[in-house]
Amino acid sequence: MSYIDPKIKPQFETLSVDLKNAILERDVQLYTLNDLIRELENIVNEA
């Protein structure tokens, strides 16, 4: 189950629905903005 820290929730909510779903499906724990950025980079690199 993915976790998005409330501190970065506003940044997470600015993403498209598709990106948010892709992140949530990855079962990740995001505590910082760097965690979020790293996960977005992983998605891009896998495409």
Side-chain angles (χ1 to χ4, degrees):
M1 173 136 184
S2 290
Y3 173 78
I4 311 298
D5 192 289
K7 293 180 293 194
I8 63 166
K9 192 78 164 182
Q11 289 83 4
F12 179 78
E13 291 299 328
T14 66
L15 301 173
S16 72
V17 172
D18 290 337
L19 270 177
K20 288 192 277 191
N21 287 337
I23 290 170
L24 293 173
E25 289 171 1
R26 297 168 78 83
D27 224 16
V28 294
Q29 309 293 308
L30 304 178
Y31 295 98
T32 67
L33 190 54
N34 283 338
D35 293 341
L36 177 58
I37 292 168
R38 183 174 36 254
E39 204 54 46
L40 289 169
E41 288 173 341
N42 289 340
I43 291 169
V44 168
N45 289 335
E46 292 172 7

